């Protein structure tokens, strides 16, 4: 009676169930899997949000498939600040980045078509693709002291059913950022094979150095995705956007159809659209400034790993860190043992790493909790690896 596209195994895995249990138990937990910015001391003051939402136009419904012009203008100003000049006519508001994916998959793919996504990458993509009856093909990011796209492997992964290539920059969980050379190669590939380029750039404001953005593509039809969830730390507001670029012959029809798709749902709330310009205007003070300080402090705490039987992979941005714990350790067993020690972390296999031996940590928790959690992880890895405990 129910669709094949929703025929997931909902039993959940042991680890996710144990994590839910640990969170619900009320026992002290150093939650280094917490990725919700509103739960780690980075929430906006309630009165600031209330002021941003106070608007005399609140009682009136003004349906607008692409989004209110002033909200789109605010997104264009945000993008201009990042060095991308985008006409607000090429911007479309969505309820979230996840919804933006859904709209783009509906625009670009027929059932059974495929998009290529990086591996490692974050697990929500599988569900988003299933929901549109789209398949995910993987192309590898490789680590050699920094993460790089394996462009040859990406080219080889394109099939006659491929409709788009996704880049996530900075990437979740690796922190990989797209270089100008990688963008150029992918732009050319998309152009030659008539593929769209989708850039999930929700973490762009936390890039630690130069990062190319898909709006700099010269040839392909390209879509930048982001939203208030990560640019402002306001996932609860439910406002995101798509900004498109490309040759007129490709871009015009795509935008026209995207507007019809958006018009079918009109899912972005009016209050969120009215508040968006004020929220974006205050993002540095209310969120990004404190966030960057938090990320830097927690990254520095990973320096304490020197000499431990694990190390942190170099990251160029984002909200998470990847620890390499050694291929012989069972990730799930290690995460379960750490949970018994009162620390929650995620195993690499949640994120589709090429091989085992990784842990993924959120860099969001308050620094004292983060540092204590890392110390317990080091002790847990030593124990699991049979190494003598650190005398300190
Ligand atoms: C890379 C990436 N893109 C998109 C999202 C989803 O963002 P939104 O809350 O706007 O749907 C996430 C959430 O963790 C993410 O990590």
């Amino acid at each position: 009676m129910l669709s094949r596209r929703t025929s997931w195994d909902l039993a959940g895995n042991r680890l996710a169930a144990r994590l839910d249990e640990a969170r619900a138990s009320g026992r002290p937990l150093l939650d280094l899997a917490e990725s919700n910015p509103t739960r780690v001391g980075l929430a906006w003051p309630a009165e600031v949000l209330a002021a941003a939402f106070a608007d005399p136009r609140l009682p009136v419904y003004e349906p607008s498939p692409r989004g209110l012009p002033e909200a789109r203008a605010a997104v264009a100003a945000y993008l201009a600040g990042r060095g991308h000049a985008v006409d607000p006519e090429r911007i479309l508001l969505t309820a979230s980045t996840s919804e933006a994916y859904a709209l783009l998959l509906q625009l670009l793919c027929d059932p059974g078509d495929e998009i290529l996504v990086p591996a490692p990458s974050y697990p929500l993509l599988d569900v988003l693709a299933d929901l549109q009856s789209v398949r995910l093909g993987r192309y590898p990011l490789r680590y050699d002291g920094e993460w790089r796209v394996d462009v040859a492997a990406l080219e080889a992964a394109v099939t006659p059913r491929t409709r788009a290539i996704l880049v996530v920059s900075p990437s979740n969980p690796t922190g990989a950022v797209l270089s100008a050379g990688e963008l150029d190669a992918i732009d050319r590939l998309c152009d030659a094979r008539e593929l769209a380029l989708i850039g999930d750039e929700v973490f762009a404001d936390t890039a630690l150095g130069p990062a190319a953005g898909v709006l700099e593509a010269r040839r392909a039809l390209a879509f930048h995705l982001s939203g208030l969830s990560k640019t402002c730390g306001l996932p609860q507001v439910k406002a995101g956007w798509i900004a498109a670029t490309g040759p007129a012959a490709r871009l015009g029809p795509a935008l026209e159809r995207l507007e019809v798709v958006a018009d079918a749902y009109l899912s972005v709330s009016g209050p969120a659209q009215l508040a968006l310009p004020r929220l974006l205007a205050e993002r540095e003070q209310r969120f990004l400034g404190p966030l960057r300080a938090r990320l830097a402090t927690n990254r520095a705490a990973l320096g304490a790993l020197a000499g431990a039987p694990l190390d942190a992979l170099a990251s160029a941005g984002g909200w998470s860190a990847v620890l390499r714990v050694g291929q012989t350790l069972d990730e799930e067993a290690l995460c379960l043992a750490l949970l018994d020690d009162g620390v929650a972390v995620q195993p690499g296999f949640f994120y589709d790493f090429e091989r085992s031996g990784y842990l993924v940590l959120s860099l969001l928790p308050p620094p004292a909790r983060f540092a204590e959690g890392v110390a317990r992880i080091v002790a847990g890895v030593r124990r699991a690896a049979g190494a003598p405990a650190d005398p300190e």
Side-chain angles (χ1 to χ4, degrees):
M1 189 200 266
L2 304 179
S3 69
R4 274 198 298 276
R5 79 168 76 81
T6 57
S7 63
W8 303 293
D9 174 7
L10 297 180
N13 65 44
R14 270 197 314 161
L15 187 55
R18 285 280 308 280
L19 178 57
D20 288 346
E21 209 178 277
R23 282 178 171 154
S25 74
R27 283 193 303 274
L29 178 69
L30 297 168
D31 194 345
L32 273 48
E34 181 59 85
S35 59
N36 179 341
T38 68
R39 288 204 207 119
V40 290
L42 294 170
W44 291 46
E47 64 279 11
V48 174
L49 289 178
F53 277 87
D55 194 294
R57 292 163 295 174
L58 223 42
V60 178
Y61 181 40
E62 288 284 0
S64 164
R66 291 189 191 200
L68 285 185
E70 69 199 75
R72 288 187 283 119
V75 173
Y78 164 78
L79 291 171
R82 302 203 52 79
H84 308 303
V86 185
D87 183 338
E89 290 307 304
R90 294 197 268 124
I91 293 170
L92 183 133
L93 299 188
T94 61
S96 65
T97 310
S98 310
E99 193 197 49
Y101 275 112
L103 301 189
L104 286 179
L105 294 181
Q106 288 164 15
L107 174 75
L108 298 168
C109 299
D110 288 313
D113 283 345
E114 173 188 86
I115 66 164
L116 296 179
V117 307
S121 193
Y122 79 116
L124 184 66
L125 296 175
D126 292 278
V127 178
L128 294 173
D130 284 349
L131 286 171
Q132 308 304 332
S133 301
V134 166
R135 287 182 304 149
L136 292 187
R138 316 268 169 185
Y139 69 88
L141 297 179
R142 303 214 188 273
Y143 186 76
D144 62 3
E146 62 183 277
W147 289 97
R148 297 172 208 281
V149 175
D150 185 335
V151 176
L154 170 59
E155 279 182 29
V158 176
T159 74
R161 296 305 297 264
T162 308
R163 294 288 170 266
I165 294 173
L166 169 69
V167 295
V168 185
S169 175
S171 174
N172 177 4
T174 59
V177 300
L178 194 68
S179 70
E182 288 168 338
L183 173 63
D184 185 55
I186 297 172
D187 186 20
R188 287 173 191 275
L189 175 62
C190 286
D191 180 41
R193 305 293 295 267
E194 297 202 37
L195 310 174
L197 171 56
I198 303 174
D200 178 336
E201 296 173 347
V202 297
F203 295 120
D205 295 306
T206 62
L208 298 170
V214 298
L215 292 171
E216 294 151 37
R218 290 282 154 263
R219 302 169 180 78
L221 175 63
F223 301 95
H224 151 98
L225 274 47
S226 190
L228 296 192
S229 174
K230 306 292 193 283
T231 58
C232 293
L234 292 169
Q236 72 275 39
V237 171
K238 294 286 153 206
W241 57 81
I242 298 170
T245 188
R250 288 174 174 162
L251 185 60
L255 283 173
E256 262 175 35
R257 291 192 190 191
L258 202 50
E259 179 168 341
V260 178
V261 180
D263 196 20
Y265 300 112
L266 292 170
S267 57
V268 198
S269 92
Q273 298 188 53
L274 289 171
L276 186 143
R278 287 186 279 263
L279 296 171
L280 269 182
E282 292 201 46
R283 70 187 184 282
E284 280 294 338
Q285 180 199 354
R286 300 293 175 190
F287 180 65
L288 287 176
L291 170 74
R292 288 197 194 96
R294 173 74 55 90
L295 297 174
T297 308
N298 286 344
R299 279 187 208 285
L302 293 175
L305 293 175
L310 67 162
D311 64 346
L313 301 190
S315 157
W319 294 9
S320 48
V322 177
L323 300 186
R324 185 161 48 182
V325 295
Q327 208 167 344
T328 54
L329 294 189
D330 177 331
E331 289 176 357
E332 186 181 18
L334 177 60
C335 290
L336 287 169
L338 287 170
L339 212 46
D340 288 338
D341 291 343
V343 191
V345 295
Q346 292 184 307
F349 72 80
F350 277 10
Y351 293 87
D352 220 354
F353 278 76
E354 209 166 21
R355 61 171 186 77
S356 72
Y358 296 99
L359 297 179
V360 173
L361 271 53
S362 166
L363 291 167
L364 293 185
R369 297 173 67 75
F370 185 81
E372 171 61 21
V374 168
R376 284 198 212 170
I377 292 168
V378 171
V381 171
R382 270 185 208 286
R383 204 174 49 227
D390 193 326
E392 289 161 48

